[in-house]
């Protein structure tokens, strides 16, 4: 099959099985500025907008992507060369592939190249939403207290007199300052990150930064800027070289950075906007008055479920999520965690059958075509575990419920963080606190609670025997018998019939 480089000019020459935008992209205008244009954003928010545009809607809600970190230069180069276009490939469990070119991103700005252009883009009245997928760690908050870290070097640099903004906080705050001075309605700040109460977290962190820079501006932001909560869901593995080759071979498209993902997608969004929004509900988004029940369901079942899968799966010798999820003992352990420990902490979720949702999660984790790596799920654990799993532990302790499986997940993390697997092979630990975590983990054979004594991550859990006892049992079993035997025993202790 001939291979065609993906650009606006070549769209009409792509093979017929590749769906392409049915709309005239020259008629699009950017109404959204998005920070953090990665695989997930392009499989999710940008896809929903592309759906609307294909239906003749939201033509003034196209996306201007923004990169802030040095590594974002790669995305700048890829999207600029392809006129903002990219291929989204859905991987069905039966091996079927669906390919669609997404056209909703019309511009990409790299802040280190020109922060003024980014600020002015947001300051203009055409932009009515600034959205974020900056990861759990991108909000600069303390993992236990949730307070904004004003002492972080990048924040201190942005707050220095006369400094040119370099962080998302500095850039967004300066754009809001200009809009206020010009009498322009403030844009909505819409977080799409996997954080409980992500809108509240965004409000707290952006106003905290603004308060340090200009208290009057902070008060205006607090009273005038909308920060809706949202729950987002679509398993989107990191794009690999093999994915690029497969897109070229199977669909005849040369794409520098395609996106591959599962067919399932969900977005629940709070109806709270400062200056209007696209008709998201017409693209399948659930627009609701209260997102919390949905986000607790997703964070404590899917996201914490991924953590329950990844460390014990990796230590058991698996390297992909589907391999671990189809191990009967791991699947039983995972369902026991969800049924016995996570579900009691959830609120009723309107319109959702929780039992069916949990079984669907196992099916999604087991999709062999997605090839989601356990290493990806194990990354950034110091951001993820405190936000996704430990709230389950704390609520269960308050209610007198079980924490055996959640404690075993933490023990799995602690064993994984030693950096050596059960075959003696090195584990690459990807975490901003890697050195600190690994140092603590390597002391735990002599001092078993060393890992959980990190109060920045675990608070006072090391003082609660109801958590410490099952944690130590699991950790000792991992050290002496290995992950497979540990999981088999834990799964055998479930109450399932």
């Amino acid at each position: 099959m001939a291979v065609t480089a993906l650009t606006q000019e070549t769209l009409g020459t792509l093979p017929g099985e590749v769906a392409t935008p049915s709309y005239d992209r020259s008629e699009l205008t950017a109404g959204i500025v998005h920070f953090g244009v990665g695989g997930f954003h392009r499989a999710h928010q940008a896809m929903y907008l592309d759906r609307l545009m294909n239906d003749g809607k939201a033509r003034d809600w196209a996306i201007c992507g923004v990169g802030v970190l040095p590594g974002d230069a790669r995305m700048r180069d890829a999207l600029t060369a392809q006129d903002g276009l990219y291929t989204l490939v859905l991987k069905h469990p039966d091996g079927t592939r669906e390919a669609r070119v997404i056209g909703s991103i019309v511009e990409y700005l790299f802040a280190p190249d020109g922060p003024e252009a980014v600020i002015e883009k947001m300051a203009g009245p055409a932009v009515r939403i600034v959205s974020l997928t900056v990861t759990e760690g991108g909000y600069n908050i303390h993992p236990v207290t949730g307070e904004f870290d004003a002492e972080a070097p990048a924040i201190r640099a942005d707050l220095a007199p006369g400094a040119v903004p370099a962080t998302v906080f500095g850039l967004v705050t300066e754009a809001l300052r200009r809009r206020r001075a010009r009498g322009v309605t403030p844009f909505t700040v819409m977080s799409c990150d996997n954080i409980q109460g992500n809108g509240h977290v965004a409000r707290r962190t952006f106003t905290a930064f603004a308060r340090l820079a200009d208290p009057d501006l902070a008060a205006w932001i607090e009273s005038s800027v909308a920060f809706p909560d949202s729950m987002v869901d679509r398993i989107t593995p990191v794009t690999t070289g093999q994915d690029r080759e497969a897109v070229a071979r199977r669909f005849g498209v040369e794409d520098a950075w395609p996106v591959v993902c599962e067919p399932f997608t969900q977005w629940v969004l709070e109806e709270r906007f400062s200056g209007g929004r696209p008709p998201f509900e017409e693209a399948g988004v659930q627009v609701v008055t209260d997102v919390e029940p949905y986000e607790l369901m997703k964070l404590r079942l899917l996201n914490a479920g991924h953590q329950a899968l990844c460390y014990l799966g990796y230590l058991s010798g698996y390297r992909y999520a589907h391999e671990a999820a189809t191990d009967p003992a791991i699947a039983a352990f995972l369902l026991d965690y969800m049924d016995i420990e996570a579900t009691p902490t959830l609120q009723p979720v309107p319109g959702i059958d929780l039992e069916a949702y949990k079984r669907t999660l196992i099916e999604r984790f087991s999709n062999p075509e997605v090839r989601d790596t356990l290493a990806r799920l194990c990354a950034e654990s110091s951001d993820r575990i405190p936000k996704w799993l430990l709230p389950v532990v704390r609520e269960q302790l308050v209610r007198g419920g079980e924490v055996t499986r959640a404690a075993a997940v933490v023990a799995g993390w602690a064993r994984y963080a030693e950096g050596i697997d059960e075959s003696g092979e090195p584990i690459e630990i990807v975490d901003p606190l890697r050195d600190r975590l690994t140092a603590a983990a390597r002391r735990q054979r002599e001092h078993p609670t060393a890992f959980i004594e990190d109060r920045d991550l675990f608070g006072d859990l090391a003082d609660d025997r109801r958590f410490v006892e099952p944690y130590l049992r699991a950790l000792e079993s991992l050290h002496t018998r290995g992950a497979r035997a540990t999981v088999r025993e834990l799964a055998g202790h479930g109450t399932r019939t």
Side-chain angles (χ1 to χ4, degrees):
M1 177 182 290
V3 177
T4 302
L6 180 59
T7 65
Q8 181 63 41
E9 186 177 353
T10 62
L11 270 182
T13 67
L14 297 181
E17 63 179 318
V18 179
T20 57
S22 63
Y23 48 91
D24 184 349
R25 295 181 74 232
S26 68
E27 296 178 357
L28 301 181
T29 56
I32 298 174
V33 166
H34 183 82
F35 284 83
V37 179
F40 180 78
H41 167 71
R42 294 188 295 144
H44 198 264
Q45 183 186 337
M47 178 277 300
Y48 280 103
L49 286 161
D50 182 74
R51 277 185 185 175
L52 289 173
M53 292 166 182
N54 278 309
D55 288 340
K57 303 162 187 170
R59 301 295 175 86
D60 57 345
W61 288 102
I63 299 165
C64 170
V66 173
V68 172
L69 302 175
D72 293 332
R74 290 180 56 224
M75 187 63 73
R76 172 202 62 193
D77 294 345
L79 288 180
T80 300
Q82 296 178 180
D83 302 315
L85 298 167
Y86 61 93
T87 314
L88 178 65
V89 179
L90 308 190
K91 291 186 168 184
H92 294 269
D94 65 359
T96 304
R97 300 285 191 273
E98 287 182 70
R100 168 174 288 281
V101 174
I102 303 296
S104 54
I105 299 176
V106 294
E107 188 176 3
Y108 190 95
L109 300 175
F110 185 54
D113 285 346
E116 180 64 20
V118 174
I119 294 166
E120 273 302 306
K121 189 73 178 182
M122 292 186 287
V127 170
R128 286 149 288 165
I129 294 174
V130 170
S131 54
L132 311 163
T133 47
V134 293
T135 77
E136 298 82 12
Y139 291 83
N140 192 48
I141 55 177
H142 192 283
V144 174
T145 67
E147 297 301 318
F148 186 76
D149 183 5
E151 298 305 312
I155 299 301
R156 289 172 63 90
D158 261 15
L159 291 169
V164 176
T167 69
V168 63
F169 300 102
L171 294 163
V172 169
T173 300
E174 174 58 20
L176 285 169
R177 186 193 68 76
R178 295 185 191 185
R179 289 178 83 110
R180 182 191 184 206
R182 297 168 187 174
V184 177
T185 300
F187 48 69
T188 295
V189 177
M190 184 175 72
S191 171
C192 294
D193 281 298
N194 282 318
I195 303 172
Q196 183 177 340
N198 55 14
H200 291 81
V201 171
R203 176 187 292 277
R204 187 164 69 252
T205 54
F206 279 92
T207 54
F209 178 89
R211 199 172 294 116
L212 295 167
D214 182 343
D216 288 341
L217 177 62
W220 178 78
I221 291 173
E222 207 154 28
S223 64
S224 304
V225 177
F227 292 84
D229 282 335
S230 68
M231 183 272 263
V232 297
D233 188 5
R234 179 168 246 180
I235 296 172
T236 308
V238 173
T239 302
T240 66
Q242 288 83 358
D243 291 324
R244 293 182 181 87
E245 292 169 8
V247 169
R249 182 178 63 255
R250 190 159 184 168
F251 297 108
V253 179
E254 182 184 330
D255 188 333
W257 209 325
V259 184
V260 298
C261 64
E262 65 171 338
F264 180 93
T265 182
Q266 187 177 20
W267 188 4
V268 183
L269 182 61
E270 182 184 13
E271 182 66 281
R272 184 187 298 272
F273 289 82
S274 310
R277 63 170 177 81
F280 285 125
E281 64 275 18
E282 296 178 27
V285 180
Q286 295 167 266
V287 181
V288 301
T289 56
D290 184 9
V291 174
E292 185 178 26
Y294 300 90
E295 66 185 1
L296 287 176
M297 173 189 76
K298 193 256 181 169
L299 294 171
R300 296 182 181 186
L301 295 178
L302 184 145
N303 293 114
H306 264 153
Q307 306 314 115
L309 184 75
C310 65
Y311 313 110
L312 297 171
Y314 193 100
L315 293 169
S316 295
Y318 301 119
R319 292 299 176 261
Y320 290 94
H322 70 273
E323 297 172 337
T326 51
D327 180 312
I330 292 178
F333 169 79
L334 182 53
L335 280 170
D336 278 344
Y337 159 75
M338 292 193 286
D339 287 344
I340 299 168
E341 300 182 18
T343 298
T345 73
L346 302 180
Q347 305 169 13
V349 189
I352 299 291
D353 179 337
L354 275 180
E355 295 308 307
Y357 179 82
K358 287 181 281 190
R359 273 60 186 175
T360 298
L361 287 181
I362 300 297
E363 293 172 6
R364 292 170 61 194
F365 295 168
S366 302
N367 184 339
E369 299 300 317
V370 172
R371 298 187 68 77
D372 200 7
T373 66
L374 293 176
R376 181 186 82 87
L377 302 179
C378 290
E380 315 291 340
S381 299
S382 64
D383 285 329
R384 295 173 173 184
I385 290 287
K387 295 180 178 72
W388 300 344
L389 185 73
L390 297 189
V392 172
V393 172
R394 293 192 174 94
E395 287 199 30
Q396 282 290 86
L397 291 175
V398 167
R399 62 190 293 123
E402 286 194 46
V403 296
T404 301
R405 296 149 198 85
V409 175
V410 176
W413 176 26
R415 171 64 185 86
Y416 179 90
E418 292 176 10
I420 302 291
D421 71 12
E422 293 182 6
S423 300
E425 296 298 319
I427 299 172
E428 181 183 1
I429 307 299
V430 178
D431 195 287
L433 304 182
R434 178 187 62 190
D435 294 344
R436 172 171 140 196
L437 293 170
T438 299
R442 289 180 177 175
R443 294 200 311 272
Q444 63 195 357
R445 293 181 188 258
E446 294 75 36
H447 181 47
T449 57
F451 194 78
I452 57 172
E453 288 174 6
D454 188 326
R455 292 185 180 269
D456 284 346
L457 295 175
F458 296 100
D460 61 359
L461 286 178
D463 303 327
D464 195 319
R465 63 176 181 76
R466 296 172 298 168
F467 173 77
V468 173
E469 288 176 1
Y471 169 80
L472 291 179
R473 283 197 302 272
L475 185 62
E476 181 183 14
S477 180
L478 288 169
H479 281 148
T480 58
R481 298 191 300 153
R484 287 179 182 260
T486 300
V487 171
R488 281 198 300 271
E489 181 179 2
L490 287 164
H493 286 173
T495 59
R496 180 170 322 287
T497 58

